[in-house]
Amino acid sequence: MFDPIINWFSNDLAIDLGTSNTRLFVRDRGIVSDEPSVVAVETLKGGRQQVLAVGRDAKDMLGRTPGHIQAIRPLKEGVISDFDLTSEMLRYFIQKGLQRSGWSKPRMMVCVPVGITEVEKRAVIEAAESANAREVFLIEEPMAAAIGSGMPITEPSGNMIVNLGGGTTEVAVISLGGIVFSRSLRVGGDKLDEAIMNHMKKRYSLLVGERSAELIKMNLGSAFPDEETQTMEVKGRDMIAGVPKTVEVTDEEIREALQEPVTMMCESLRISLERTPPELASDLVDRGIVLTGGGALLRNLDVRLNHETGLPIYISEEPTCGAVLGAGKALDNMDLLEQVSMGNVD
């Protein structure tokens, strides 16, 4: 699909442009930026928008802004939904990451979901170019995550990786440096947060925001039962009385709330296993399946997937940073660049 990349220089950088977080890797320096993919904008007279904050500062404003200010996520389900804000966000992260180097017009490798369309690819490239990139290359996110996880992707054997991001769940079977089979499901961490918010509305008539839902997911979220029950106090607004209210929730009810999106993830993996070529599928009995992405941190998800498939399930050592680390490793290894399928898109 792509031509091999050669002649990379020291001002190369890799970007994992994620729905929830954007990570920036600079060659010889490692990860220099890891911030939420959020932009806060103020609407001025005439409808013009002015960017007030990007990243962590903008996320702190989610659900807490006056009417003329919005905290916006410019990516939805792994792809660009607001081109201008994505360009502004990229420009900010790149300038922040490279401010001490004095580099200009770097070459960029951007991680993209395996299932995106040509139009969506073009939007990523144009956003990177508008952020002052000299040259833009794309790498499929499961491939980058597999490299970052240390999987032997160039060997003639089956390697399966499940990349669980904020907007998408991607399953890929990799052999000989190429993706043999892939499946992308636009369900990820954001859907889990949404399921928790809906649960709180239905059971307690309590409105909670994205930040609160994410905190509940991190503290109580699970995909398979634990021996001990955990509880947490949740604060929000009573939909009936209209006043602040506090309720106590358990991990069991949150697990029940997450059942639908988690089941969709499991089903996507099951279908992928059914469609994997037999010779490669047999390798998975010994090699197992590697989970990466922020969703891999959902408690007992590996136990649930093992229960569903009967195969060994491993969580990557650096699940949240796997894709950008893999793209960074590729930048540092010319032989690897020539073996894996990636390059620029005309």
Side-chain angles (χ1 to χ4, degrees):
M1 179 170 62
F2 299 121
D3 296 324
I5 304 173
I6 57 175
N7 295 328
W8 284 81
F9 301 101
S10 60
N11 59 340
D12 300 331
L13 59 87
I15 298 173
D16 180 11
L17 191 59
T19 305
S20 299
N21 287 76
T22 295
R23 299 175 178 88
L24 184 69
F25 178 100
V26 177
R27 191 175 184 181
D28 298 326
R29 288 177 57 196
I31 297 175
V32 297
S33 178
D34 181 356
E35 296 201 41
S37 302
V38 183
V39 181
V41 297
E42 180 181 12
T43 303
L44 306 176
K45 292 182 178 179
R48 189 170 61 88
Q49 290 185 328
Q50 176 181 335
V51 175
L52 296 181
V54 178
R56 203 165 285 112
D57 292 338
K59 186 175 182 179
D60 288 341
M61 299 181 186
L62 276 173
R64 298 175 175 175
T65 59
H68 63 287
I69 297 175
Q70 288 181 287
I72 300 171
R73 295 181 182 270
L75 292 104
K76 301 287 186 183
E77 299 179 343
V79 297
I80 294 173
S81 60
D82 189 313
F83 176 82
D84 292 333
L85 289 185
T86 300
S87 299
E88 288 288 341
M89 183 179 72
L90 269 178
R91 189 176 294 110
Y92 170 84
F93 288 143
I94 291 166
Q95 289 175 352
K96 183 178 180 181
L98 303 183
Q99 61 184 351
R100 290 179 296 176
S101 67
W103 296 337
S104 61
K105 288 192 162 300
R107 290 187 176 189
M108 298 184 197
M109 179 184 287
V110 185
C111 301
V112 296
V114 72
I116 69 170
T117 65
E118 292 301 318
V119 173
E120 291 166 341
K121 286 181 184 179
R122 174 53 56 188
V124 172
I125 293 168
E126 290 179 355
E129 288 174 343
S130 70
N132 212 31
R134 181 173 78 253
E135 203 169 1
V136 183
F137 298 85
L138 304 182
I139 180 171
E140 290 143 318
E141 201 152 353
M143 177 66 78
I147 297 171
S149 300
M151 300 175 75
I153 62 165
T154 58
E155 295 180 5
S157 56
N159 301 276
M160 178 174 276
I161 188 159
V162 182
N163 186 43
L164 300 131
T168 58
T169 294
E170 298 170 306
V171 184
V173 178
I174 300 172
S175 179
L176 289 172
I179 294 179
V180 179
F181 172 82
S182 65
R183 179 177 174 83
S184 182
L185 177 71
R186 297 203 171 182
V187 173
D190 288 350
K191 291 293 184 184
L192 300 180
D193 295 344
E194 186 179 315
I196 291 172
M197 288 189 286
N198 290 335
H199 169 79
M200 300 305 294
K201 284 181 186 177
K202 291 177 182 178
R203 179 166 294 190
Y204 299 105
S205 298
L206 190 73
L207 284 175
V208 297
E210 291 180 28
R211 290 166 55 87
S212 297
E214 185 179 19
L215 190 61
I216 296 169
K217 177 182 68 178
M218 293 170 64
N219 287 317
L220 295 184
S222 65
F224 203 78
D226 275 324
E227 292 183 1
E228 297 182 5
T229 299
Q230 299 184 45
T231 62
M232 175 183 174
E233 284 191 347
V234 177
K235 299 174 183 178
R237 191 182 82 221
D238 191 314
M239 295 172 62
I240 299 172
V243 297
K245 183 172 77 170
T246 302
V247 299
E248 187 172 77
V249 296
T250 67
D251 61 337
E252 182 179 356
E253 64 181 283
I254 297 303
R255 183 168 56 254
E256 180 183 338
L258 299 179
Q259 183 67 18
E260 183 178 348
V262 169
T263 299
M264 292 173 70
M265 294 175 183
C266 295
E267 182 69 8
S268 184
L269 176 57
R270 187 187 64 78
I271 292 172
S272 299
L273 287 169
E274 289 177 354
R275 298 181 183 178
T276 300
E279 291 299 323
L280 298 180
S282 63
D283 295 330
L284 301 179
V285 176
D286 298 319
R287 292 179 179 268
I289 299 168
V290 175
L291 307 184
T292 188
L297 299 176
L298 180 67
R299 193 167 75 251
N300 289 343
L301 180 59
D302 54 338
V303 179
R304 169 74 180 269
L305 293 176
N306 172 260
H307 182 77
E308 296 272 350
T309 66
L311 296 173
I313 307 293
Y314 306 102
I315 298 175
S316 170
E317 289 185 8
E318 297 279 354
T320 58
C321 301
V324 76
L325 285 173
K329 284 183 181 179
L331 294 179
D332 283 331
N333 188 329
M334 295 299 297
D335 291 335
L336 183 59
L337 281 173
E338 294 174 358
Q339 291 179 52
V340 298
S341 299
M342 54 185 164
N344 61 341
V345 177
D346 296 326

